[in-house]
Amino acid sequence: MAARFNPLEADARWQKVWEEQGTFHASGDGARPRAYVLEMFPYPSGRIHIGHVRNYVMGDVLARYKRMNGFDVLHPMGWDAFGMPAENAAMEKKVHPGEWTRSNIDTMRGQLKLLGFAIDWTREFATCDPSYYGHEQALFLDLFEAGLVYRKQSEVNWDPVDMTVLANEQVIDGRGWRSGALVERRKLSQWFLRITDFADELLDGLGRLDQWPDKVRLMQENWIGKSQGLRFRFDISPSPSGEGVGGWGMSQLYPTSPTPTPPLKGRGLESFEVFTTRPDTIFGASFAAIAPDHPIALALAEGNGGLAAFIAECKQGGTTAAELETAEKKGFDTGIRVIHPLDPEWKLPLYVANFVLMDYGTGAIFGCPAHDQRDLDFARKYGLPVTRVVAPSPEEAEEPIGDEAYSGPGRLVNSRFLDGLTAEDGIREVIARAEADGWGEGTTVWRLRDWGVSRQRYWGTPIPIVHCEACGPVAVPRDQLPIVLPEDIDFETPGNPLDRHPTWSKVDCPECGGSARRETDTLDTFVDSSWYFIRFASQPGDAPFDRAEAERWLPVDQYIGGVEHAILHLLYARFWTRALQRIGKLDVVEPFRGLFTQGMVTHVTFQDPQGKWLTPEEAESHGGPVIRGRVEKMSKSKRNTVDPEPIVDQYGADAVRWFMLSDSPPERDLEWSEAGIQGSWRFVQRLWRLADEEAGRGSSTWLGDGEDAALDRKVHRAIAAVGANIEALAFNKAVANLYELTNALEKAPASPSRSRAVETLIRLAAPMVPHLAEEVWAAIGQEGLIAQAEWPVADPALLVEEEVTIAVQVNGKLRDTLTAPKGAARETLEEMALASEKVARILEGKPARKVIVVPDRLVNVVA
RNA sequence: GCCCCCGUGGCGGAAUUGGUAGACGCGCUCGACUCAAAAUCGAGUUCCGCAAGGAGUGCCGGUUCGAGUCCGGCCGGGGGCACCA
């Protein structure tokens, strides 16, 4: 063996061996139990960054560990290859999005291979392959035929310069992030998937995902947003003088229309529904309010210029977080009165209010100022009555409400027949009465919206629909799939190139044969990532997947990725899987049994006094003063990124892998540092020296024949600890276990125990530093690959200590320690502790009041 | 505003059910080897103190024989949602 481990030479050599032998192919032959380990597949943006490396190293350690434990492991890799950056590159660099994407994939695949990941590359695909998205089109049609896809008008963010729809995240301060143009709200016909049909089961299923982080489950729960309550009808009160005009409040700021008769009658607008989660507070009602775009508001505005102006003003209001937070509650009194459902004599004013949202519930509310902060703010502003109807105690029944609404528990007061009931009973009672009397019903409202999947872009999966004037939207016949994106496209003009293509969209209607137009929208790329894990498990040519084979691999046993996908991707994938189950295509309920969200890789930042960001190298060579900034997420704009490739060239894959696993718990951020990677490099070399020494010594040169029982125990404790920590994905702890064992081995005198221990250490380290492990494995004359060797088994007998250290406390303070045989009797321990000089000194001859003995742990003497 | 998580040495972080706080790594100090350096090896490294000893897990209080861990109240940091009725 060489004096030093040379990764430059060894890495490539072992990577070639693994590839040639197909070491990491998932066989699926049923001979071994299966394990499916998956990291979120990357978007081919250009180059691998260090965050990818951390993500894939974690999955890789688990995959290799599972393989050594006798599993048939599926650990695939692919590319989430559709999306905007490719189109931006096309516009900026005049390169075809496909060409740009393919070239990035080639680069990144090469970079990933440098790290020696145990990936089954035979299953690799990119979502931009027609052989992938064609099957996606088929699945879309399956859902379409099952009624889970529909088309409706919806408001979108429209960039008038780029002529494209923008996602909310792409609208910054009301402007398109690329063009800087003021974004318009536009109504477009879009395709939607009925994810709301699954709201209940998606929520319910979270409870059974016990191997998911609580945080992610909670985020999804909030996102789905289930609210139970009462939906009920308000009838508009007929008034002698017609149906009212704006008379009070805000309306004075706006000119009142000279034609005061609002056209509600005969249009189904004589009543409207509201939703509330607090029907118990119904006797605290002091007003009703509708959204500015509620049909009644729009109808009233036809005859009321003041209201029309108010509605227009509401629409202008920004929708950014900051603006909403400070936005004042504003309303417009329509002059209309509505009838309280429990008292026909009780009339409430109807406002149009800026804080009522048309797309939640029914777009209308009843206002109960005493117990809802927004309603209270509103009521105070417009001088509306505030009546307490819930009191935390009988004494507080008449306590006036101040500036804060009371939303806590209590009993109902000032509420006629509800008085004395708890709030919960009140809710039940009012719902029961509403249902019995026919003016409302108990219902559930969700925050979750249906998933709009239409994107007015080129680089995505074409939606397999044809629009025919006679037949409407028609599914493309299956034998015409895949609908392939045209290659001859023009990015010179903004907008969707598919729309402008001279021939692509011109087709005959599959139903009537008449001339028709192909759908030119493409699917949201989140659709692509909603089923790729199924395609990894099984990829026949003529179908999206083979059902039986997919069911044998799924669900994914361990899924690893960034927490930024906690909601959208993970919710969409759960929905898609359930949708496939509902239509009878795949009997899997949840796609990911275990989920792990890893932290980011961060790095220090540097700036010069002018605030210009500097790379770490620039900071070092910079002549003038340099400000050392915070440790932050790596980003190009802050110039604190680290390219993994030169680092792998310098230190080798194993040192990089080891560093990615060290120190920080995997769910937290890891700070990249030069010292850290050097430390890892040193450890790789230490392992090498240890093995080298042992190999060089040969078995004939023992100093003695004696076994080293203490070392044996340490080894077996390490076997148990490393295994448990890898299974728990606590890689930083597994790393610490390996350091401890290495330290112990370096100090241990030569013995057969030590030789065995070094071999065990290499096995334990193999998932983390696989190239070095293979090199050592071969050098010590072992057959085959360590990647396929068995994980050592801890001997339970050696996990038990013979002697234990007992802490001796006086009044809970540590005063002494003593060594006792494992399992020593309470009395023995007590006796030993009381015999301690230090204890005796503190007791000063007085007897102990009490002695607490925790066997094998401590004795606490209470003085 | 609502919901959730986290505060432990110079730094990253360990610490079963409450039971010896600081494992392991980084950094630093001293020493060995060396002409010197790198590499490597040895010793040390929570704070105060020469020591004996004392203090110590953001702060204040509580429960307990015993609290980093449990409870209450603050302070600080991070994340999610965002006028959701």
Side-chain angles (χ1 to χ4, degrees):
Chain A
M1 280 174 83
R4 276 193 153 203
F5 175 59
N6 177 8
L8 248 52
E9 185 270 326
D11 286 4
R13 185 153 38 78
W14 291 110
Q15 285 160 17
K16 190 155 167 265
V17 170
W18 295 330
E19 180 138 12
E20 282 171 0
Q21 299 194 6
T23 309
F24 305 120
H25 292 184
S27 83
D29 59 11
R32 291 168 290 160
R34 297 176 194 236
Y36 188 174
V37 177
L38 182 68
E39 300 94 55
M40 292 179 185
F41 67 162
Y43 176 77
S45 54
R47 296 181 68 76
I48 291 292
H49 61 74
I50 206 84
H52 289 122
V53 176
R54 191 175 188 211
N55 190 185
Y56 303 134
V57 168
M58 290 181 192
D60 200 57
V61 169
L62 187 66
R64 285 175 177 272
Y65 169 81
K66 285 285 183 190
R67 183 173 297 277
M68 289 178 80
N69 276 280
F71 286 86
D72 185 6
V73 176
L74 174 56
H75 185 221
M77 181 58 68
W79 310 92
D80 188 13
F82 274 135
M84 284 258 300
E87 287 189 59
N88 294 335
M91 286 183 261
E92 283 155 24
K93 298 174 188 154
K94 314 285 178 219
V95 49
H96 187 278
E99 207 179 297
W100 181 83
T101 303
R102 290 281 163 205
S103 137
N104 288 346
I105 289 174
D106 288 342
T107 304
M108 292 170 77
R109 184 195 302 109
Q111 292 185 304
L112 287 183
K113 288 194 172 182
L114 290 178
L115 283 147
F117 293 132
I119 286 168
D120 182 351
W121 286 103
T122 64
R123 296 180 186 237
E124 176 193 3
F125 61 79
T127 57
C128 64
D129 300 338
S131 60
Y132 180 79
Y133 70 70
H135 293 305
E136 184 167 306
Q137 291 166 337
L139 292 174
F140 180 87
L141 293 178
D142 289 340
L143 299 184
F144 180 66
E145 281 152 16
L148 293 173
V149 177
Y150 67 99
R151 195 167 164 78
K152 78 166 183 201
Q153 286 269 317
S154 112
E155 280 212 337
V156 295
N157 303 305
W158 180 259
D159 183 323
V161 170
D162 279 356
M163 301 217 292
T164 185
V165 167
L166 298 177
N168 285 331
E169 301 76 38
Q170 293 160 346
V171 180
I172 297 153
D173 293 333
R175 293 174 182 273
W177 67 287
R178 264 191 97 250
S179 67
L182 272 177
V183 167
E184 298 167 3
R185 305 288 291 167
R186 219 185 237 211
K187 283 221 166 183
L188 284 184
S189 259
Q190 310 250 71
W191 291 100
F192 286 84
L193 299 189
R194 288 193 197 279
I195 191 171
T196 54
D197 260 28
F198 295 78
D200 228 335
E201 43 181 300
L202 286 170
L203 179 67
D204 192 50
L206 288 174
R208 289 183 292 277
L209 290 172
D210 56 355
Q211 292 175 51
W212 278 41
D214 289 345
K215 181 168 82 165
V216 174
R217 291 195 290 177
L218 189 70
M219 281 163 71
Q220 291 211 354
E221 191 183 318
N222 291 339
W223 187 263
I224 294 168
K226 182 179 188 174
S227 295
Q228 287 175 300
L230 171 70
R231 193 174 65 219
F232 71 90
R233 198 180 67 242
F234 268 128
D235 290 322
I236 288 172
S237 167
S239 77
S241 61
E243 269 163 346
V245 293
W248 305 281
M250 284 301 291
S251 58
Q252 285 161 5
L253 292 174
Y254 300 91
T256 302
S257 163
T259 50
T261 308
L264 296 181
K265 282 218 170 105
R267 294 171 66 173
L269 300 176
E270 296 91 348
S271 70
F272 62 93
E273 288 197 312
V274 301
F275 173 72
T276 178
T277 55
R278 293 295 303 274
D280 54 315
T281 65
I282 189 121
F283 288 110
S286 75
F287 64 95
I290 55 178
D293 41 355
H294 192 281
I296 290 179
L298 297 177
L300 291 173
E302 287 167 20
N304 186 329
L307 178 55
F310 176 76
I311 291 171
E313 190 194 299
C314 290
K315 281 202 165 177
Q316 276 174 15
T319 51
T320 65
E323 281 171 298
L324 284 177
E325 197 171 339
T326 53
E328 202 180 351
K329 305 282 174 286
K330 282 184 191 167
F332 183 94
D333 187 345
T334 61
I336 288 174
R337 301 309 174 92
V338 300
I339 302 164
H340 193 285
L342 286 164
D343 182 351
E345 298 307 311
W346 188 352
K347 308 283 166 46
L348 301 164
L350 174 64
Y351 283 80
V352 176
N354 67 345
F355 67 93
V356 181
L357 306 175
M358 192 58 218
D359 61 358
Y360 182 79
T362 60
I365 60 158
F366 88 86
C368 176
H371 306 289
D372 180 285
Q373 192 60 44
R374 286 159 309 168
D375 295 349
L376 183 62
D377 295 345
F378 191 83
R380 294 286 187 229
K381 178 158 179 169
Y382 296 110
L384 298 163
V386 178
T387 311
R388 175 190 284 279
V389 289
V390 179
S393 69
E395 297 74 43
E396 289 160 284
E398 298 307 324
E399 194 73 18
I401 299 286
D403 290 337
E404 268 183 44
Y406 177 73
S407 56
R411 288 186 185 267
L412 296 167
V413 296
N414 302 318
S415 294
R416 309 189 189 180
F417 59 86
L418 298 173
D419 280 353
L421 293 180
T422 62
E424 297 79 60
D425 290 342
I427 289 171
R428 272 189 286 275
E429 177 61 28
V430 174
I431 291 174
R433 199 171 274 242
E435 287 176 347
D437 298 346
W439 52 269
E441 59 178 354
T443 190
T444 302
V445 162
W446 305 86
R447 209 191 78 102
L448 185 68
R449 296 279 95 91
D450 273 336
W451 176 15
V453 292
S454 297
R455 296 293 181 270
Q456 292 66 41
R457 301 223 174 86
Y458 166 74
W459 195 233
T461 300
I463 296 176
I465 297 283
V466 165
H467 297 280
C468 169
E469 282 197 22
C471 314
V474 179
V476 170
R478 307 285 176 144
D479 58 12
Q480 289 177 26
L481 299 183
I483 307 298
V484 179
L485 287 168
E487 289 289 318
D488 52 329
I489 45 150
D490 150 42
F491 279 102
E492 295 301 315
T493 329
N496 182 351
L498 291 179
D499 253 347
R500 289 191 310 269
H501 194 278
T503 55
W504 189 76
S505 64
K506 290 181 185 137
V507 285
D508 294 336
C509 171
E511 288 203 349
C512 70
S515 72
R517 185 174 158 76
R518 195 182 285 295
E519 169 73 63
T520 56
D521 284 354
T522 52
L523 287 172
D524 182 0
T525 58
F526 277 114
V527 176
D528 309 336
S529 53
S530 288
W531 72 285
Y532 77 104
F533 46 89
I534 308 174
R535 183 75 185 166
F536 274 145
S538 155
Q539 34 193 279
D542 58 353
F545 49 84
D546 173 78
R547 177 173 175 164
E549 181 64 2
E551 285 171 3
R552 280 194 285 269
W553 282 113
L554 289 164
V556 172
D557 292 286
Q558 186 62 59
Y559 196 35
I560 307 178
V563 72
E564 65 272 20
H565 295 111
I567 297 171
L568 297 182
H569 162 58
L570 289 167
L571 192 63
Y572 293 149
R574 293 183 63 218
F575 154 68
W576 193 273
T577 306
R578 279 171 192 269
L580 291 180
Q581 190 205 28
R582 185 179 293 185
I583 65 175
K585 292 273 172 186
L586 181 71
D587 194 19
V588 172
V589 182
E590 289 288 345
F592 314 117
R593 179 182 293 137
L595 173 71
F596 187 82
T597 56
Q598 102 274 7
M600 296 181 301
V601 182
T602 59
H603 198 196
V604 280
T605 52
F606 294 102
Q607 280 175 289
D608 69 12
Q610 283 74 47
K612 188 179 154 234
W613 297 100
L614 304 172
T615 66
E617 297 75 42
E618 286 169 349
E620 201 165 317
S621 61
H622 195 267
V626 169
I627 301 151
R628 191 190 169 91
R630 300 201 319 169
V631 173
E632 289 192 68
K633 178 185 177 177
M634 288 188 186
S635 75
K636 281 182 187 157
S637 63
K638 301 218 167 125
R639 311 197 68 201
N640 64 338
T641 56
V642 169
D643 187 346
E645 199 175 330
I647 298 189
V648 173
D649 285 347
Q650 192 180 350
Y651 296 99
D654 289 343
V656 173
R657 294 169 61 108
W658 185 259
F659 180 42
M660 290 293 108
L661 301 165
S662 302
D663 291 352
S664 286
E667 68 278 10
R668 285 202 221 162
D669 291 351
L670 171 72
E671 187 189 342
W672 175 270
S673 72
E674 197 58 31
I677 182 69
Q678 281 172 11
S680 296
W681 163 257
R682 279 201 298 274
F683 178 71
V684 168
Q685 294 301 341
R686 267 175 76 194
L687 267 187
W688 178 259
R689 272 196 306 278
L690 193 60
D692 180 43
E693 210 180 277
E694 200 62 51
R697 176 179 290 135
S699 53
S700 58
T701 55
W702 307 126
L703 298 173
D705 296 332
E707 297 284 318
D708 187 338
L711 188 63
D712 288 346
R713 285 181 194 282
K714 281 182 183 152
V715 170
H716 282 260
R717 275 210 308 275
I719 294 171
V722 172
N725 282 325
I726 290 177
E727 301 229 15
L729 306 176
F731 301 112
N732 58 321
K733 294 186 214 168
V735 160
N737 299 144
L738 290 171
Y739 270 116
E740 263 179 291
L741 182 57
T742 305
N743 290 344
L745 282 176
E746 283 174 343
K747 291 191 173 81
S751 71
S753 288
R754 188 176 189 267
S755 294
R756 283 198 308 274
V758 170
E759 192 207 303
T760 302
L761 171 65
I762 294 302
R763 283 186 209 244
L764 297 179
M768 302 180 181
V769 288
H771 307 87
L772 170 115
E774 294 290 3
E775 194 80 358
V776 170
W777 197 245
I780 62 177
Q782 294 282 353
E783 292 291 313
L785 295 171
I786 198 169
Q788 288 165 322
E790 280 180 25
W791 188 256
V793 178
D795 179 352
L798 292 174
L799 295 177
V800 186
E801 287 293 340
E802 285 177 319
E803 287 193 324
V804 288
T805 307
I806 304 289
V808 179
Q809 300 179 334
V810 178
N811 295 333
K813 281 197 177 179
L814 183 72
R815 295 298 176 183
D816 203 358
T817 57
L818 55 88
T819 306
K822 171 102 183 163
R826 287 170 173 276
E827 296 72 24
T828 318
L829 292 174
E830 179 171 341
E831 224 171 275
M832 288 169 80
L834 291 172
S836 158
E837 264 180 49
K838 289 179 183 169
V839 172
R841 201 191 316 152
I842 292 166
L843 287 181
E844 293 172 329
K846 286 173 263 181
R849 283 214 322 244
K850 191 173 170 189
V851 179
I852 285 141
V853 180
V854 182
D856 294 334
R857 276 205 169 266
L858 62 71
V859 179
N860 187 16
V861 180
V862 184

